[in-house]
């Protein structure tokens, strides 16, 4: 199957035909590919940033509609499972993004096409491309189509114990009726392998810093440290 045919098949799976196909092309372009290509080649990190926010709103909207009797804490747990790195990577594979994403030779040789972090990011970038091309209704339609009813039900029925951010947010709601705040401090390293440092501030003023290969991973590590401090300090339930 040609690359163009694969793109057409992807559009069918997304339920959206692009008026501006260059947006989809950009969403599928990893920073490692752009770095090797040079000449000002753009990549998908800005779209990933937008897609993260669009995804949260779309999934929240779907959960609000599907679970009218669920409380805020329950909805937060379900959303965290649905938008986790592993969940998004699984959907990316289902719709063929692992075969379509454009990677640099080095990243590809090192298994980037199989890496959950790469695939979850490209999924968010593709959602942002749909949003930019067709608006919120198009993005919501993609989420409704791909997050099939069984996926919502499965997420509602089981825990995801390693989602430290979700667990910390639930603890902060119980203890302070407030949310923790994450601030990106630094980004260093080569473009194809960046290192992020974030600062986590709890509602009571306590601060934790952590690093990771992506901003999301750094935030998860900071949340893990905060949860450990809660457990060893005041024994707060989480």
């Amino acid at each position: 199957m040609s690359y163009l045919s694969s793109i057409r098949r992807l559009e069918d799976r997304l339920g959206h035909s692009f008026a501006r196909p260059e947006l989809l092309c950009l969403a599928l372009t990893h920073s490692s590919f752009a770095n090797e290509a040079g000449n000002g080649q753009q990549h998908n990190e800005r779209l990933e940033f937008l897609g993260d926010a669009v995804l949260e709103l779309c999934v929240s909207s779907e959960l609000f509609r599907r679970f009218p009797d669920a409380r805020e804490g329950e909805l937060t747990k379900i959303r965290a499972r649905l938008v986790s790195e592993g969940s998004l990577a699984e959907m990316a594979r289902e719709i063929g993004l692992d075969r379509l994403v454009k990677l640099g030779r080095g990243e590809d040789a090192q298994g980037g096409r199989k890496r959950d972090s790469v695939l979850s990011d490209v999924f968010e970038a593709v959602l942002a491309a749909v949003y930019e091309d067709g608006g919120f209704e198009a993005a919501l339609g993609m989420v409704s189509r791909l997050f099939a009813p069984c996926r919502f039900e499965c997420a509602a029925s089981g825990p995801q114990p390693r989602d430290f951010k979700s667990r910390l947010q639930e603890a902060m709601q119980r203890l302070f009726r407030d949310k923790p705040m994450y601030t990106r401090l630094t980004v260093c390293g080569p473009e194809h392998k960046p290192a992020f440092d974030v600062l986590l501030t709890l509602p009571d003023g306590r601060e934790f810093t952590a690093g990771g290969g992506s901003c999301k991973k750094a935030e998860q590590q900071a949340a893990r440290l905060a949860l450990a401090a809660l457990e060893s300090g005041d024994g707060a339930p989480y």
Side-chain angles (χ1 to χ4, degrees):
M1 183 182 294
S2 69
Y3 190 80
L4 181 58
S5 297
S6 297
I7 290 293
R8 293 287 178 257
R9 187 177 181 186
L10 174 61
E11 288 183 318
D12 290 341
R13 289 173 172 175
L14 299 177
H16 179 75
S17 181
F18 279 83
R20 293 181 289 165
E22 65 273 13
L23 283 169
L24 180 56
C25 182
L26 180 60
L28 295 170
T29 303
H30 190 260
S31 59
S32 62
F33 181 91
N35 189 52
E36 288 186 10
N39 299 319
Q41 170 70 52
Q42 299 296 305
H43 53 75
N44 65 9
E45 286 184 357
R46 281 173 53 83
L47 282 173
E48 177 208 335
F49 166 80
L50 176 61
D52 182 65
V54 173
L55 178 65
E56 182 166 324
L57 179 57
C58 288
V59 171
S60 297
S61 177
E62 282 291 293
L63 291 175
F64 189 82
R65 181 177 65 83
R66 289 175 183 271
F67 301 100
D69 298 322
R71 301 179 68 177
E72 178 191 0
E74 294 175 286
L75 295 174
T76 299
K77 289 180 183 178
I78 300 170
R79 184 179 64 196
R81 294 170 196 141
L82 287 167
V83 304
S84 70
E85 185 177 276
S87 173
L88 299 185
E90 180 184 347
M91 275 188 289
R93 294 184 183 98
E94 288 177 3
I95 61 177
L97 297 184
D98 56 330
R99 298 185 297 275
L100 293 173
V101 60
K102 297 177 181 178
L103 299 175
R105 290 186 296 273
E107 180 70 26
D108 206 353
Q110 293 173 19
R113 204 170 292 277
K114 298 179 181 179
R115 197 170 295 136
D116 281 3
S117 58
V118 170
L119 296 178
S120 63
D121 287 349
V122 75
F123 182 91
E124 290 178 339
V126 167
L127 177 60
V130 170
Y131 171 79
E132 285 289 281
D133 192 66
F136 179 72
E137 289 303 319
L140 185 61
M142 171 182 162
V143 168
S144 299
R145 186 183 184 92
L146 297 182
F147 287 78
C150 62
R151 200 166 235 122
F152 282 98
E153 296 300 330
C154 288
S157 63
Q160 189 179 41
R162 294 195 63 81
D163 186 355
F164 300 114
K165 284 184 64 178
S166 179
R167 291 166 58 194
L168 179 64
Q169 180 163 319
E170 292 166 20
M172 294 301 97
Q173 285 288 342
R174 285 196 297 270
L175 294 171
F176 305 109
R177 302 301 300 170
D178 203 353
K179 297 179 180 179
M181 183 174 67
Y182 298 87
T183 305
R184 182 187 294 186
L185 296 177
T186 61
V187 183
C188 58
E191 190 171 356
H192 67 281
K193 196 175 182 181
F196 294 80
D197 287 313
V198 301
L199 170 68
L200 164 61
T201 305
L202 301 186
D204 64 359
R206 280 182 287 179
E207 296 182 338
F208 302 85
T209 59
S214 70
C215 195
K216 292 177 184 177
K217 289 182 178 178
E219 289 175 353
Q220 287 283 356
Q221 288 303 310
R224 181 182 64 80
L225 294 176
L227 286 167
L230 286 173
E231 183 178 36
S232 62
D234 56 13
Y238 61 90

